Amino acid sequence: MKKRGFADFFFLLFVLYLVLPIVATTLYAFSAKWNKSILPEGLTFKWLATLFQDAQFIEAFGRSVLLSGGAVVVAMLVIVPAIFIIVLYFPKYEKWIQVAVVMVYSFPGVILAVGLIRVYSKVGVPMILVVVGAYVIGILPYIYQGTRNSLRNVDARQLLDAAQLLGASKMQAFMKILLPTVYPGLFAGALLSFSVLFGEFVLINLVVGSRFETVQIYLMKKLSASGHIASAVVFIYLVLMGLLTFVIALLTKRSKGATNI
Amino acid sequence: MVEVISKRQVFAWLVPFLLLVLLFFLVPLLYMVITSFSNSEGFTFKHYQSVLTNDYIRQGFKNSITLSAISAVIALIVTLFAVYAVMRFSEPVREKILILTNLTSNFSGIPLAFAFIVLLGNSGLFTLLFEKWEIGALSSFSLYSWSGLLLIYIYFQLPLALMLLYPIYDGIQQQWKEAAALLGASTWQFWVKIGIPVMLPGIVGTFSVLFANAMGAYASAYALTSSNYNLVAIRIGALIKGDIFAQPELASAIAVLLAVTMVMAMLLSEWSIKKTRGKL
């Protein structure tokens, strides 16, 4: 009994530690004045309103969506089919993808940034495209995980074979049978990748800098300028991440449910 | 087996993927390694020599390694007990906790640094509280220092630790506990003699992932101390970004050494996680 209390204490600590900064920032984003007192003096929507009237923020938000979304779309078009082909038809080469996944996952942006700048800064390629390329590779672990799990869940190879034995063409089997069954898993992987990229700062800051101001760079600039505006940005970021996490959880549940049929 | 795919299709889909990996991952890393060994006269060890003899860079490595190791150990201990408590909840509650943890795992970098400024910065919530209660030791706490960084590092380690430890705990089967209890072992004895030893490789693996995770972290430290605190990742960033004093060769050499550290950590984790899997 005593031990349980001990573990629960750590659990409480764990949850409090994770939740407290989120609650405090949210409160700060809505507080009218909060300089001297422990709790905010009055609540207001002023900061959020200011933020949404700031063209710079709207543009930064647009750029973030474009950059992260663009990289996810490219990854979906290029990486997903490649993973499909290797998993379905060349399973013995799958270990090489796994090696790539571990490598990509273990090399942080700050190391990759050094190499990217060395290779591309003098050849005339727009650096923003270099960042997109690096982003596509950076989300390989998440895309691979999502795709692999979906394929394993539905036993894709057998499904394709069965569809073709029953007279479906290659294209039909793929588009009408396989894709709809693995779709929730793929979509969850895409959303997860998007949310990871949306929070990315290292590559964009080191490789491109303030020439392409994303939400993260905008936030960095506001950090020293205005605490309230910064907290409003963080609040919006949190809401977006919350929504994405919720949808991902739903999709993952659904794609797991598909196996129980 | 039905023949379903032509060679041309395989080629058409695999080549763009391989090209991307080559262009945006392998070539840059390779080029970085080459850069670290070359100067205007050709091949040289000079940059590594300056890394190893430069006290400032050595201190950066030391700071990064201590910060990463300590944050990993603290997060690991807290999470080990937390997961133990989580395991006793019902399935739906556990799921909600995992979702919350997933949400916070995205809360890192600049937004996280800012949230801690709200809590513990110069006019942060707790800073004011400590001043009001006149807790001397705590009110002199500075977020923009080693201990501040440690708090933030622990924060982003916790969700990762939970996600890695959860499946390892899950592998401990109820039957083992029952068998041990039937044979007269107490809960304490079960964990000390069976549970922890079985999980140990997994715990070591988790530690090395956490360690590597912290070694490569850049954004939160940068946001909090803006290059003032000496960490390896911050050093690299400063060396490649400084427009006037950019020293790409030196940055490459440091980056290679950092990469070696992380590859070793990842190899350790691969090896030990494989070992756990064999047991569970």
Side-chain angles (χ1 to χ4, degrees), chain A residues 4 17-18 25 34 38 77 89 106-107 120 164 170 195 227 237, chain B residues 4 13 23 35 88 95 106 114-115 125 128-129 151 155 241 259 266:
Chain A
R4 158 135 219 195
Y17 201 71
L18 289 182
T25 316
W34 195 0
I38 306 301
L77 292 176
Y89 303 105
S106 35
F107 282 109
Y120 295 106
Q164 285 187 274
K170 177 167 49 181
S195 63
Y237 174 75
Chain B
V4 273
W13 283 115
L23 280 178
T35 307
R88 294 155 175 248
E95 236 165 60
N106 256 323
F114 176 73
L125 181 68
L128 294 175
L129 207 65
L151 288 182
Y155 187 97
K241 241 212 149 182
M266 289 321 270

PDB file of all heavy atoms in Angstrom, chain A residues 4 17-18 25 34 38 77 89 106-107 120 164 170 195 227 237, chain B residues 4 13 23 35 88 95 106 114-115 125 128-129 151 155 241 259 266:
ATOM      1  N   ARG A   4       2.404   1.940  -3.373  1.00  0.00           N
ATOM      2  CA  ARG A   4       1.483   2.505  -4.339  1.00  0.00           C
ATOM      3  C   ARG A   4       1.442   4.021  -4.194  1.00  0.00           C
ATOM      4  O   ARG A   4       1.461   4.741  -5.172  1.00  0.00           O
ATOM      5  CB  ARG A   4       0.095   1.897  -4.095  1.00  0.00           C
ATOM      6  CG  ARG A   4      -0.998   2.754  -4.636  1.00  0.00           C
ATOM      7  CD  ARG A   4      -1.994   1.954  -5.370  1.00  0.00           C
ATOM      8  NE  ARG A   4      -2.407   2.701  -6.520  1.00  0.00           N
ATOM      9  CZ  ARG A   4      -3.463   2.420  -7.229  1.00  0.00           C
ATOM     10  NH1 ARG A   4      -4.175   1.369  -6.914  1.00  0.00           N
ATOM     11  NH2 ARG A   4      -3.805   3.137  -8.263  1.00  0.00           N
ATOM     12  N   TYR A  17       4.117  18.382 -13.769  1.00  0.00           N
ATOM     13  CA  TYR A  17       5.264  18.974 -14.443  1.00  0.00           C
ATOM     14  C   TYR A  17       4.972  19.223 -15.910  1.00  0.00           C
ATOM     15  O   TYR A  17       5.396  20.226 -16.475  1.00  0.00           O
ATOM     16  CB  TYR A  17       6.471  18.046 -14.295  1.00  0.00           C
ATOM     17  CG  TYR A  17       7.788  18.737 -14.500  1.00  0.00           C
ATOM     18  CD1 TYR A  17       8.265  19.635 -13.567  1.00  0.00           C
ATOM     19  CD2 TYR A  17       8.552  18.507 -15.638  1.00  0.00           C
ATOM     20  CE1 TYR A  17       9.464  20.288 -13.754  1.00  0.00           C
ATOM     21  CE2 TYR A  17       9.762  19.147 -15.838  1.00  0.00           C
ATOM     22  CZ  TYR A  17      10.211  20.033 -14.895  1.00  0.00           C
ATOM     23  OH  TYR A  17      11.395  20.684 -15.082  1.00  0.00           O
ATOM     24  N   LEU A  18       4.232  18.284 -16.522  1.00  0.00           N
ATOM     25  CA  LEU A  18       3.918  18.441 -17.939  1.00  0.00           C
ATOM     26  C   LEU A  18       2.812  19.475 -18.168  1.00  0.00           C
ATOM     27  O   LEU A  18       2.806  20.177 -19.170  1.00  0.00           O
ATOM     28  CB  LEU A  18       3.499  17.105 -18.555  1.00  0.00           C
ATOM     29  CG  LEU A  18       4.611  16.067 -18.730  1.00  0.00           C
ATOM     30  CD1 LEU A  18       4.079  14.812 -19.391  1.00  0.00           C
ATOM     31  CD2 LEU A  18       5.760  16.634 -19.556  1.00  0.00           C
ATOM     32  N   THR A  25       1.119  29.325 -19.425  1.00  0.00           N
ATOM     33  CA  THR A  25       1.220  30.090 -20.675  1.00  0.00           C
ATOM     34  C   THR A  25      -0.157  30.479 -21.175  1.00  0.00           C
ATOM     35  O   THR A  25      -0.366  31.597 -21.651  1.00  0.00           O
ATOM     36  CB  THR A  25       1.948  29.271 -21.755  1.00  0.00           C
ATOM     37  OG1 THR A  25       3.072  28.660 -21.160  1.00  0.00           O
ATOM     38  CG2 THR A  25       2.399  30.149 -22.890  1.00  0.00           C
ATOM     39  N   TRP A  34      -0.140  41.252 -15.697  1.00  0.00           N
ATOM     40  CA  TRP A  34       0.370  40.204 -14.828  1.00  0.00           C
ATOM     41  C   TRP A  34       1.846  40.447 -14.580  1.00  0.00           C
ATOM     42  O   TRP A  34       2.700  39.750 -15.078  1.00  0.00           O
ATOM     43  CB  TRP A  34       0.148  38.835 -15.489  1.00  0.00           C
ATOM     44  CG  TRP A  34       0.298  37.686 -14.533  1.00  0.00           C
ATOM     45  CD1 TRP A  34       0.603  37.760 -13.212  1.00  0.00           C
ATOM     46  CD2 TRP A  34       0.151  36.297 -14.827  1.00  0.00           C
ATOM     47  NE1 TRP A  34       0.648  36.513 -12.658  1.00  0.00           N
ATOM     48  CE2 TRP A  34       0.372  35.600 -13.629  1.00  0.00           C
ATOM     49  CE3 TRP A  34      -0.148  35.578 -15.972  1.00  0.00           C
ATOM     50  CZ2 TRP A  34       0.316  34.211 -13.549  1.00  0.00           C
ATOM     51  CZ3 TRP A  34      -0.207  34.206 -15.895  1.00  0.00           C
ATOM     52  CH2 TRP A  34       0.012  33.529 -14.711  1.00  0.00           C
ATOM     53  N   ILE A  38       0.555  37.299  -8.149  1.00  0.00           N
ATOM     54  CA  ILE A  38       0.715  35.867  -8.381  1.00  0.00           C
ATOM     55  C   ILE A  38      -0.247  35.393  -9.463  1.00  0.00           C
ATOM     56  O   ILE A  38       0.113  34.630 -10.337  1.00  0.00           O
ATOM     57  CB  ILE A  38       0.455  35.084  -7.077  1.00  0.00           C
ATOM     58  CG1 ILE A  38       1.332  35.619  -5.945  1.00  0.00           C
ATOM     59  CG2 ILE A  38       0.687  33.595  -7.291  1.00  0.00           C
ATOM     60  CD1 ILE A  38       2.807  35.562  -6.203  1.00  0.00           C
ATOM     61  N   LEU A  77       4.118  11.544 -51.521  1.00  0.00           N
ATOM     62  CA  LEU A  77       4.215  11.159 -52.930  1.00  0.00           C
ATOM     63  C   LEU A  77       5.462  10.329 -53.223  1.00  0.00           C
ATOM     64  O   LEU A  77       5.452   9.476 -54.116  1.00  0.00           O
ATOM     65  CB  LEU A  77       4.226  12.414 -53.816  1.00  0.00           C
ATOM     66  CG  LEU A  77       2.914  13.198 -53.857  1.00  0.00           C
ATOM     67  CD1 LEU A  77       3.068  14.467 -54.675  1.00  0.00           C
ATOM     68  CD2 LEU A  77       1.804  12.331 -54.433  1.00  0.00           C
ATOM     69  N   TYR A  89       7.222  -6.045 -51.867  1.00  0.00           N
ATOM     70  CA  TYR A  89       7.871  -6.873 -52.887  1.00  0.00           C
ATOM     71  C   TYR A  89       9.328  -7.207 -52.593  1.00  0.00           C
ATOM     72  O   TYR A  89       9.865  -8.176 -53.112  1.00  0.00           O
ATOM     73  CB  TYR A  89       7.767  -6.198 -54.258  1.00  0.00           C
ATOM     74  CG  TYR A  89       6.330  -5.930 -54.642  1.00  0.00           C
ATOM     75  CD1 TYR A  89       5.797  -4.654 -54.581  1.00  0.00           C
ATOM     76  CD2 TYR A  89       5.500  -6.984 -55.008  1.00  0.00           C
ATOM     77  CE1 TYR A  89       4.477  -4.416 -54.897  1.00  0.00           C
ATOM     78  CE2 TYR A  89       4.171  -6.753 -55.332  1.00  0.00           C
ATOM     79  CZ  TYR A  89       3.662  -5.462 -55.275  1.00  0.00           C
ATOM     80  OH  TYR A  89       2.352  -5.240 -55.581  1.00  0.00           O
ATOM     81  N   SER A 106      18.575   9.632 -35.348  1.00  0.00           N
ATOM     82  CA  SER A 106      19.609   9.942 -34.360  1.00  0.00           C
ATOM     83  C   SER A 106      20.429  11.186 -34.703  1.00  0.00           C
ATOM     84  O   SER A 106      21.074  11.731 -33.823  1.00  0.00           O
ATOM     85  CB  SER A 106      20.519   8.741 -34.108  1.00  0.00           C
ATOM     86  OG  SER A 106      20.720   8.013 -35.276  1.00  0.00           O
ATOM     87  N   PHE A 107      20.408  11.610 -35.980  1.00  0.00           N
ATOM     88  CA  PHE A 107      21.157  12.834 -36.284  1.00  0.00           C
ATOM     89  C   PHE A 107      20.279  14.054 -36.107  1.00  0.00           C
ATOM     90  O   PHE A 107      19.310  14.246 -36.825  1.00  0.00           O
ATOM     91  CB  PHE A 107      21.702  12.804 -37.704  1.00  0.00           C
ATOM     92  CG  PHE A 107      22.925  11.961 -37.830  1.00  0.00           C
ATOM     93  CD1 PHE A 107      22.889  10.748 -38.486  1.00  0.00           C
ATOM     94  CD2 PHE A 107      24.105  12.370 -37.250  1.00  0.00           C
ATOM     95  CE1 PHE A 107      24.021   9.959 -38.573  1.00  0.00           C
ATOM     96  CE2 PHE A 107      25.242  11.590 -37.340  1.00  0.00           C
ATOM     97  CZ  PHE A 107      25.197  10.375 -38.000  1.00  0.00           C
ATOM     98  N   TYR A 120      25.238  23.212 -50.125  1.00  0.00           N
ATOM     99  CA  TYR A 120      24.326  23.947 -51.002  1.00  0.00           C
ATOM    100  C   TYR A 120      24.453  25.466 -50.976  1.00  0.00           C
ATOM    101  O   TYR A 120      23.874  26.129 -51.818  1.00  0.00           O
ATOM    102  CB  TYR A 120      22.881  23.558 -50.686  1.00  0.00           C
ATOM    103  CG  TYR A 120      22.596  22.109 -50.999  1.00  0.00           C
ATOM    104  CD1 TYR A 120      22.456  21.168 -49.983  1.00  0.00           C
ATOM    105  CD2 TYR A 120      22.502  21.666 -52.313  1.00  0.00           C
ATOM    106  CE1 TYR A 120      22.214  19.833 -50.263  1.00  0.00           C
ATOM    107  CE2 TYR A 120      22.272  20.337 -52.607  1.00  0.00           C
ATOM    108  CZ  TYR A 120      22.122  19.420 -51.576  1.00  0.00           C
ATOM    109  OH  TYR A 120      21.901  18.118 -51.870  1.00  0.00           O
ATOM    110  N   GLN A 164      -6.487  -9.759 -56.710  1.00  0.00           N
ATOM    111  CA  GLN A 164      -6.133 -10.042 -58.105  1.00  0.00           C
ATOM    112  C   GLN A 164      -6.610 -11.416 -58.535  1.00  0.00           C
ATOM    113  O   GLN A 164      -7.019 -11.605 -59.676  1.00  0.00           O
ATOM    114  CB  GLN A 164      -4.628  -9.880 -58.287  1.00  0.00           C
ATOM    115  CG  GLN A 164      -4.260  -8.400 -58.313  1.00  0.00           C
ATOM    116  CD  GLN A 164      -2.813  -8.210 -58.668  1.00  0.00           C
ATOM    117  OE1 GLN A 164      -1.962  -8.247 -57.793  1.00  0.00           O
ATOM    118  NE2 GLN A 164      -2.537  -8.019 -59.927  1.00  0.00           N
ATOM    119  N   LYS A 170      -4.381  -4.861 -61.368  1.00  0.00           N
ATOM    120  CA  LYS A 170      -3.354  -4.394 -60.439  1.00  0.00           C
ATOM    121  C   LYS A 170      -3.733  -3.047 -59.839  1.00  0.00           C
ATOM    122  O   LYS A 170      -3.679  -2.822 -58.642  1.00  0.00           O
ATOM    123  CB  LYS A 170      -2.045  -4.308 -61.221  1.00  0.00           C
ATOM    124  CG  LYS A 170      -0.894  -3.786 -60.454  1.00  0.00           C
ATOM    125  CD  LYS A 170       0.402  -4.041 -61.194  1.00  0.00           C
ATOM    126  CE  LYS A 170       0.344  -3.618 -62.639  1.00  0.00           C
ATOM    127  NZ  LYS A 170       1.602  -3.881 -63.360  1.00  0.00           N
ATOM    128  N   SER A 195       2.915  17.994 -37.577  1.00  0.00           N
ATOM    129  CA  SER A 195       3.049  18.671 -36.277  1.00  0.00           C
ATOM    130  C   SER A 195       4.510  18.727 -35.841  1.00  0.00           C
ATOM    131  O   SER A 195       4.926  19.690 -35.204  1.00  0.00           O
ATOM    132  CB  SER A 195       2.165  18.021 -35.215  1.00  0.00           C
ATOM    133  OG  SER A 195       2.565  16.701 -34.998  1.00  0.00           O
ATOM    134  N   GLY A 227       5.958  39.705 -23.956  1.00  0.00           N
ATOM    135  CA  GLY A 227       5.601  38.439 -23.333  1.00  0.00           C
ATOM    136  C   GLY A 227       4.181  38.021 -23.649  1.00  0.00           C
ATOM    137  O   GLY A 227       3.907  36.842 -23.895  1.00  0.00           O
ATOM    138  N   TYR A 237      -0.326  27.845 -30.962  1.00  0.00           N
ATOM    139  CA  TYR A 237       0.469  26.669 -31.297  1.00  0.00           C
ATOM    140  C   TYR A 237      -0.047  25.444 -30.527  1.00  0.00           C
ATOM    141  O   TYR A 237      -0.237  24.365 -31.087  1.00  0.00           O
ATOM    142  CB  TYR A 237       1.928  26.959 -30.955  1.00  0.00           C
ATOM    143  CG  TYR A 237       2.857  25.797 -31.116  1.00  0.00           C
ATOM    144  CD1 TYR A 237       3.257  25.378 -32.378  1.00  0.00           C
ATOM    145  CD2 TYR A 237       3.354  25.128 -30.008  1.00  0.00           C
ATOM    146  CE1 TYR A 237       4.121  24.318 -32.527  1.00  0.00           C
ATOM    147  CE2 TYR A 237       4.223  24.063 -30.142  1.00  0.00           C
ATOM    148  CZ  TYR A 237       4.597  23.659 -31.404  1.00  0.00           C
ATOM    149  OH  TYR A 237       5.451  22.603 -31.548  1.00  0.00           O
TER     150      TYR A 237
ATOM    151  N   VAL B   4       2.741  -8.593 -59.941  1.00  0.00           N
ATOM    152  CA  VAL B   4       1.931  -7.383 -59.899  1.00  0.00           C
ATOM    153  C   VAL B   4       2.677  -6.119 -60.271  1.00  0.00           C
ATOM    154  O   VAL B   4       2.079  -5.073 -60.400  1.00  0.00           O
ATOM    155  CB  VAL B   4       1.342  -7.156 -58.500  1.00  0.00           C
ATOM    156  CG1 VAL B   4       0.035  -7.881 -58.368  1.00  0.00           C
ATOM    157  CG2 VAL B   4       2.320  -7.542 -57.441  1.00  0.00           C
ATOM    158  N   TRP B  13       9.544   4.448 -58.755  1.00  0.00           N
ATOM    159  CA  TRP B  13       9.184   4.864 -57.406  1.00  0.00           C
ATOM    160  C   TRP B  13      10.353   4.858 -56.425  1.00  0.00           C
ATOM    161  O   TRP B  13      10.348   5.590 -55.454  1.00  0.00           O
ATOM    162  CB  TRP B  13       8.060   4.003 -56.846  1.00  0.00           C
ATOM    163  CG  TRP B  13       6.731   4.376 -57.416  1.00  0.00           C
ATOM    164  CD1 TRP B  13       5.936   3.603 -58.202  1.00  0.00           C
ATOM    165  CD2 TRP B  13       6.049   5.628 -57.263  1.00  0.00           C
ATOM    166  NE1 TRP B  13       4.810   4.292 -58.553  1.00  0.00           N
ATOM    167  CE2 TRP B  13       4.842   5.538 -57.988  1.00  0.00           C
ATOM    168  CE3 TRP B  13       6.352   6.816 -56.593  1.00  0.00           C
ATOM    169  CZ2 TRP B  13       3.941   6.592 -58.061  1.00  0.00           C
ATOM    170  CZ3 TRP B  13       5.451   7.875 -56.666  1.00  0.00           C
ATOM    171  CH2 TRP B  13       4.257   7.753 -57.394  1.00  0.00           C
ATOM    172  N   LEU B  23      20.665  13.170 -51.558  1.00  0.00           N
ATOM    173  CA  LEU B  23      20.907  14.605 -51.681  1.00  0.00           C
ATOM    174  C   LEU B  23      20.784  15.349 -50.361  1.00  0.00           C
ATOM    175  O   LEU B  23      21.535  16.282 -50.094  1.00  0.00           O
ATOM    176  CB  LEU B  23      19.914  15.219 -52.668  1.00  0.00           C
ATOM    177  CG  LEU B  23      20.233  15.046 -54.145  1.00  0.00           C
ATOM    178  CD1 LEU B  23      19.139  15.663 -54.988  1.00  0.00           C
ATOM    179  CD2 LEU B  23      21.576  15.694 -54.470  1.00  0.00           C
ATOM    180  N   THR B  35      34.871  17.980 -44.945  1.00  0.00           N
ATOM    181  CA  THR B  35      35.234  19.341 -44.537  1.00  0.00           C
ATOM    182  C   THR B  35      36.031  19.344 -43.241  1.00  0.00           C
ATOM    183  O   THR B  35      36.996  20.087 -43.089  1.00  0.00           O
ATOM    184  CB  THR B  35      33.967  20.192 -44.328  1.00  0.00           C
ATOM    185  OG1 THR B  35      33.174  20.110 -45.498  1.00  0.00           O
ATOM    186  CG2 THR B  35      34.318  21.631 -44.050  1.00  0.00           C
ATOM    187  N   ARG B  88      -1.705   0.712 -13.418  1.00  0.00           N
ATOM    188  CA  ARG B  88      -2.814   0.232 -12.590  1.00  0.00           C
ATOM    189  C   ARG B  88      -4.136   0.874 -12.975  1.00  0.00           C
ATOM    190  O   ARG B  88      -5.177   0.479 -12.473  1.00  0.00           O
ATOM    191  CB  ARG B  88      -2.533   0.545 -11.119  1.00  0.00           C
ATOM    192  CG  ARG B  88      -1.365  -0.229 -10.592  1.00  0.00           C
ATOM    193  CD  ARG B  88      -0.763   0.524  -9.438  1.00  0.00           C
ATOM    194  NE  ARG B  88       0.290  -0.271  -8.836  1.00  0.00           N
ATOM    195  CZ  ARG B  88       0.183  -0.792  -7.618  1.00  0.00           C
ATOM    196  NH1 ARG B  88      -0.894  -0.608  -6.906  1.00  0.00           N
ATOM    197  NH2 ARG B  88       1.168  -1.494  -7.130  1.00  0.00           N
ATOM    198  N   GLU B  95      -5.202   5.296 -21.944  1.00  0.00           N
ATOM    199  CA  GLU B  95      -5.174   5.861 -23.289  1.00  0.00           C
ATOM    200  C   GLU B  95      -5.151   7.389 -23.234  1.00  0.00           C
ATOM    201  O   GLU B  95      -4.418   8.029 -23.969  1.00  0.00           O
ATOM    202  CB  GLU B  95      -6.415   5.403 -24.054  1.00  0.00           C
ATOM    203  CG  GLU B  95      -6.078   4.697 -25.355  1.00  0.00           C
ATOM    204  CD  GLU B  95      -7.269   3.950 -25.898  1.00  0.00           C
ATOM    205  OE1 GLU B  95      -8.289   4.609 -26.166  1.00  0.00           O
ATOM    206  OE2 GLU B  95      -7.175   2.713 -26.041  1.00  0.00           O
ATOM    207  N   ASN B 106       5.179  17.223 -28.290  1.00  0.00           N
ATOM    208  CA  ASN B 106       5.360  18.226 -29.330  1.00  0.00           C
ATOM    209  C   ASN B 106       5.688  19.596 -28.765  1.00  0.00           C
ATOM    210  O   ASN B 106       6.015  20.519 -29.492  1.00  0.00           O
ATOM    211  CB  ASN B 106       4.087  18.348 -30.177  1.00  0.00           C
ATOM    212  CG  ASN B 106       4.270  17.665 -31.499  1.00  0.00           C
ATOM    213  OD1 ASN B 106       5.348  17.717 -32.072  1.00  0.00           O
ATOM    214  ND2 ASN B 106       3.233  17.012 -31.965  1.00  0.00           N
ATOM    215  N   PHE B 114       9.675  29.411 -23.709  1.00  0.00           N
ATOM    216  CA  PHE B 114       8.855  30.543 -23.309  1.00  0.00           C
ATOM    217  C   PHE B 114       7.944  30.190 -22.129  1.00  0.00           C
ATOM    218  O   PHE B 114       7.795  30.977 -21.193  1.00  0.00           O
ATOM    219  CB  PHE B 114       8.015  31.066 -24.476  1.00  0.00           C
ATOM    220  CG  PHE B 114       7.114  32.165 -24.053  1.00  0.00           C
ATOM    221  CD1 PHE B 114       7.640  33.419 -23.775  1.00  0.00           C
ATOM    222  CD2 PHE B 114       5.763  31.944 -23.871  1.00  0.00           C
ATOM    223  CE1 PHE B 114       6.820  34.442 -23.330  1.00  0.00           C
ATOM    224  CE2 PHE B 114       4.938  32.969 -23.426  1.00  0.00           C
ATOM    225  CZ  PHE B 114       5.476  34.214 -23.160  1.00  0.00           C
ATOM    226  N   ALA B 115       7.346  29.003 -22.178  1.00  0.00           N
ATOM    227  CA  ALA B 115       6.468  28.588 -21.079  1.00  0.00           C
ATOM    228  C   ALA B 115       7.223  28.590 -19.753  1.00  0.00           C
ATOM    229  O   ALA B 115       6.676  28.983 -18.718  1.00  0.00           O
ATOM    230  CB  ALA B 115       5.896  27.203 -21.361  1.00  0.00           C
ATOM    231  N   LEU B 125       5.705  33.490 -12.697  1.00  0.00           N
ATOM    232  CA  LEU B 125       4.718  33.148 -11.681  1.00  0.00           C
ATOM    233  C   LEU B 125       5.359  32.653 -10.388  1.00  0.00           C
ATOM    234  O   LEU B 125       5.095  33.181  -9.307  1.00  0.00           O
ATOM    235  CB  LEU B 125       3.835  32.048 -12.293  1.00  0.00           C
ATOM    236  CG  LEU B 125       2.691  31.459 -11.530  1.00  0.00           C
ATOM    237  CD1 LEU B 125       1.617  32.492 -11.348  1.00  0.00           C
ATOM    238  CD2 LEU B 125       2.128  30.289 -12.322  1.00  0.00           C
ATOM    239  N   LEU B 128       7.728  35.237  -8.565  1.00  0.00           N
ATOM    240  CA  LEU B 128       6.999  36.185  -7.711  1.00  0.00           C
ATOM    241  C   LEU B 128       6.546  35.523  -6.425  1.00  0.00           C
ATOM    242  O   LEU B 128       6.623  36.098  -5.346  1.00  0.00           O
ATOM    243  CB  LEU B 128       5.787  36.743  -8.464  1.00  0.00           C
ATOM    244  CG  LEU B 128       6.105  37.606  -9.681  1.00  0.00           C
ATOM    245  CD1 LEU B 128       4.820  37.989 -10.408  1.00  0.00           C
ATOM    246  CD2 LEU B 128       6.865  38.855  -9.248  1.00  0.00           C
ATOM    247  N   LEU B 129       6.100  34.290  -6.582  1.00  0.00           N
ATOM    248  CA  LEU B 129       5.617  33.527  -5.430  1.00  0.00           C
ATOM    249  C   LEU B 129       6.736  33.352  -4.409  1.00  0.00           C
ATOM    250  O   LEU B 129       6.551  33.594  -3.207  1.00  0.00           O
ATOM    251  CB  LEU B 129       5.127  32.170  -5.918  1.00  0.00           C
ATOM    252  CG  LEU B 129       4.058  31.477  -5.091  1.00  0.00           C
ATOM    253  CD1 LEU B 129       2.784  32.288  -5.113  1.00  0.00           C
ATOM    254  CD2 LEU B 129       3.797  30.088  -5.654  1.00  0.00           C
ATOM    255  N   LEU B 151      15.798  21.985 -15.982  1.00  0.00           N
ATOM    256  CA  LEU B 151      14.341  21.855 -15.836  1.00  0.00           C
ATOM    257  C   LEU B 151      13.673  21.664 -17.192  1.00  0.00           C
ATOM    258  O   LEU B 151      12.778  20.838 -17.355  1.00  0.00           O
ATOM    259  CB  LEU B 151      13.762  23.105 -15.155  1.00  0.00           C
ATOM    260  CG  LEU B 151      14.043  23.287 -13.677  1.00  0.00           C
ATOM    261  CD1 LEU B 151      13.361  24.542 -13.172  1.00  0.00           C
ATOM    262  CD2 LEU B 151      13.550  22.072 -12.892  1.00  0.00           C
ATOM    263  N   TYR B 155      11.791  18.383 -18.934  1.00  0.00           N
ATOM    264  CA  TYR B 155      10.434  18.461 -19.481  1.00  0.00           C
ATOM    265  C   TYR B 155      10.328  17.707 -20.799  1.00  0.00           C
ATOM    266  O   TYR B 155       9.425  16.905 -21.001  1.00  0.00           O
ATOM    267  CB  TYR B 155      10.015  19.926 -19.679  1.00  0.00           C
ATOM    268  CG  TYR B 155       8.569  20.064 -20.077  1.00  0.00           C
ATOM    269  CD1 TYR B 155       7.603  20.348 -19.117  1.00  0.00           C
ATOM    270  CD2 TYR B 155       8.149  19.883 -21.385  1.00  0.00           C
ATOM    271  CE1 TYR B 155       6.272  20.465 -19.458  1.00  0.00           C
ATOM    272  CE2 TYR B 155       6.821  19.981 -21.737  1.00  0.00           C
ATOM    273  CZ  TYR B 155       5.883  20.274 -20.769  1.00  0.00           C
ATOM    274  OH  TYR B 155       4.569  20.370 -21.116  1.00  0.00           O
ATOM    275  N   LYS B 241      26.744  30.057 -38.134  1.00  0.00           N
ATOM    276  CA  LYS B 241      25.882  31.194 -38.427  1.00  0.00           C
ATOM    277  C   LYS B 241      26.614  32.514 -38.415  1.00  0.00           C
ATOM    278  O   LYS B 241      26.237  33.430 -39.115  1.00  0.00           O
ATOM    279  CB  LYS B 241      24.716  31.235 -37.441  1.00  0.00           C
ATOM    280  CG  LYS B 241      23.385  31.100 -38.164  1.00  0.00           C
ATOM    281  CD  LYS B 241      22.296  31.860 -37.485  1.00  0.00           C
ATOM    282  CE  LYS B 241      21.269  32.353 -38.488  1.00  0.00           C
ATOM    283  NZ  LYS B 241      20.235  33.139 -37.864  1.00  0.00           N
ATOM    284  N   ALA B 259      28.244  13.799 -33.578  1.00  0.00           N
ATOM    285  CA  ALA B 259      27.585  12.685 -34.264  1.00  0.00           C
ATOM    286  C   ALA B 259      28.115  11.345 -33.761  1.00  0.00           C
ATOM    287  O   ALA B 259      27.351  10.404 -33.546  1.00  0.00           O
ATOM    288  CB  ALA B 259      27.791  12.812 -35.775  1.00  0.00           C
ATOM    289  N   MET B 266      23.085   5.575 -29.810  1.00  0.00           N
ATOM    290  CA  MET B 266      22.024   4.866 -30.511  1.00  0.00           C
ATOM    291  C   MET B 266      22.349   3.383 -30.668  1.00  0.00           C
ATOM    292  O   MET B 266      21.473   2.528 -30.548  1.00  0.00           O
ATOM    293  CB  MET B 266      21.777   5.485 -31.897  1.00  0.00           C
ATOM    294  CG  MET B 266      21.114   6.838 -31.886  1.00  0.00           C
ATOM    295  SD  MET B 266      19.815   7.077 -30.675  1.00  0.00           S
ATOM    296  CE  MET B 266      18.395   6.559 -31.588  1.00  0.00           C
TER     297      MET B 266
END
